Amino acid sequence: ADALLLARFVQQQREAGRLAAIFTAEPSDTQRLEDELKFFAPELKGAVFPDWETLPYDSFSPHQDLISERLATLWELLQAKKSKSIDVVLMPASTALVRLAPPSFLAGTTFNFKQKQRLDEASLRSQLTLAGYTNVSQVVQPGEYAVRGGLIDLFPMGSAVPYRVDLFGDEVDSIRVFDPDSQRSLYPVPEVRLLPGREFPMDEAARKAFRNRWREKMDGDPSKSRLYRDIGEGIASGGIEYYLPIFFEQTATVFDYLGAEAGLALHGEVDEAIQRFWTDTKERHRFLQHDPERPLLAPGEIFLTAEDFFG
């Protein structure tokens, strides 16, 4: 019954030309509702903004597939007003509390190229590296690329499949989807969209700004922090996502991507879920504060409060 009611709500928003967003108190309801909305309203185009599926201040990073899906959803939200490519986005309320990169970062680091377009291999490799892609011998997951002569294999973030780009001189001769398991080419496509490889920049200027802000915000000797040292060497350490606010002068929230006109629906006891998340987060912060190797940002610098969310 809840899915039927929400399907009608999304249809009403769509008819009014508005995007709909559904925040769930229980993370498990997000996937269920996505499936059931398709049953009641097959014409609706929906997306899920997934959680990192790590605990606050964890020392390991989210799975690359999750980062890929998050970036794809944020890009769809930015394009929603222009292309109407999405009608509804669903997410757990706790996921919506995480501060995000500003929309200008995503817009400025996303690029496309097409078949028969002039494309310099060295420039593409440089652009992929700056975007946070990893150079590997064989591409198997999002955020990777490999170069073999005139062939460039790459797995764009936000894409369900990898692509094989065949260059003829400095021109794109063909672009084909390939199977990452068998590495066999499958079928041609006209163009490829490349989202950034991470939710934060890793170019030299961004890393320098990160280190400057770290010294402003964190107490103690920064050289004793593994994260600080690794960023200086261009290494994205495990758990770096929880330091995303230090990469930017100003962060954004999911509401900056949804826009002021979006229709919002709260599913379940969202207020209680947010308060519970905040309590758990502050307890983890207190527990981990004694570790001199891992200075922690205050919870309020990384997450929205309940007041911020409902305000």
Side-chain angles (χ1 to χ4, degrees), residues 236-256:
S237 303
I240 191 66
E241 287 75 16
Y242 287 103
Y243 293 82
L244 180 146
I246 307 183
F247 282 100
F248 301 100
E249 188 68 35
Q250 187 172 359
T251 55
T253 73
V254 72
F255 299 105
D256 294 306

Side-chain angles (χ1 to χ4, degrees), residues 82-131:
K82 302 175 186 176
S83 62
K84 304 295 181 185
S85 59
I86 184 173
D87 298 311
V88 56
V89 61
L90 302 97
M91 70 192 78
S94 56
T95 303
L97 299 181
V98 179
R99 296 181 187 272
L100 304 170
S104 58
F105 164 71
L106 206 59
T109 52
T110 299
F111 63 98
N112 297 57
F113 60 86
K114 303 177 181 180
Q115 190 176 1
K116 303 306 177 185
Q117 177 181 330
R118 298 181 71 85
L119 188 69
D120 180 68
E121 179 192 320
S123 297
L124 177 61
R125 294 181 68 167
S126 175
Q127 200 160 9
L128 287 168
T129 301
L130 287 175

Side-chain angles (χ1 to χ4, degrees), residues 11-60:
Q11 287 171 324
Q12 291 172 351
Q13 299 302 306
R14 183 189 186 191
E15 290 168 3
R18 291 193 294 264
L19 175 72
I22 300 172
F23 301 97
T24 65
E26 298 298 328
S28 58
D29 283 327
T30 300
Q31 193 63 56
R32 174 183 67 82
L33 287 171
E34 184 196 23
D35 294 337
E36 293 179 4
L37 286 177
K38 293 175 183 176
F39 175 81
F40 289 113
E43 76 282 2
L44 294 179
K45 293 170 285 187
V48 168
F49 186 58
D51 193 75
W52 279 334
E53 296 185 5
T54 56
L55 293 174
Y57 310 107
D58 266 347
S59 58
F60 53 89

